[in-house]
Amino acid sequence: METRPALEATLVQEFVGKSHGDLDRVKALLAQEPALINAAWDWGGGDWETGLGAAAHMGRNDIADYLLANGARLDLFAAAMLGKLEIVKAALEAYPEAINIPGPHGIPLLAHAQAGGNQAALVVEYLKSFSSQRTAATA
């Protein structure tokens, strides 16, 4: 495997920051440096975030779809925001504790789904049901 130099930190920070809401700048930055697609920024204390992670908690399905179409690695939080119920179900059936894993900035999985609006309504319903079932099982 070829060793490549690290990406410029300010470029990664800008890319992740703009992925919260500026699709045009995201496109321009990716055109400039395609390796940004899966780059992660540490906001501090291990709060790592990728462009896809930024788009996911902001409910920016346009940015998320663009990043995924260009090679971003799909994660559970983006799947929840995008309303990918079968992916969310499969992940939680395999790893039920993932319901409690915080996403970027400590934002929970349910909040990511809620950010997805109507397209993620079934995921929101499923996550609420899943949490209720887990709470009842431990009571």
Side-chain angles (χ1 to χ4, degrees):
M1 184 173 234
E2 175 188 347
T3 302
R4 295 179 47 178
L7 295 172
E8 183 183 324
T10 56
L11 190 61
V12 174
Q13 183 180 25
E14 181 183 5
F15 177 74
V16 173
K18 294 301 181 184
S19 294
H20 286 85
D22 188 344
L23 178 59
D24 290 335
R25 185 64 181 145
V26 167
K27 288 179 177 181
L29 288 167
L30 267 183
Q32 175 186 335
E33 178 52 76
L36 287 168
I37 195 68
N38 289 306
W41 179 252
D42 185 352
W43 292 103
D47 181 12
W48 290 95
E49 183 178 37
T50 63
L52 182 60
H57 73 79
M58 296 301 294
R60 290 302 302 260
N61 66 322
D62 57 337
I63 296 174
D65 285 337
Y66 180 80
L67 295 172
L68 288 164
N70 284 279
R73 296 180 198 112
L74 179 63
D75 64 31
L76 185 58
F77 300 97
M81 185 275 293
L82 292 168
K84 304 299 183 189
L85 181 59
E86 293 307 313
I87 293 171
V88 173
K89 277 184 175 181
L92 292 179
E93 286 172 10
Y95 299 99
E97 290 305 314
I99 189 82
N100 299 317
I101 297 171
H105 315 311
I107 298 170
L109 186 59
L110 177 59
H112 281 80
Q114 290 168 329
N118 288 340
Q119 75 176 356
L122 291 176
V123 174
V124 169
E125 183 180 309
Y126 172 76
L127 292 174
K128 287 179 177 179
S129 170
F130 186 87
S131 292
S132 295
Q133 290 171 10
R134 289 182 51 77
T135 301
T138 59

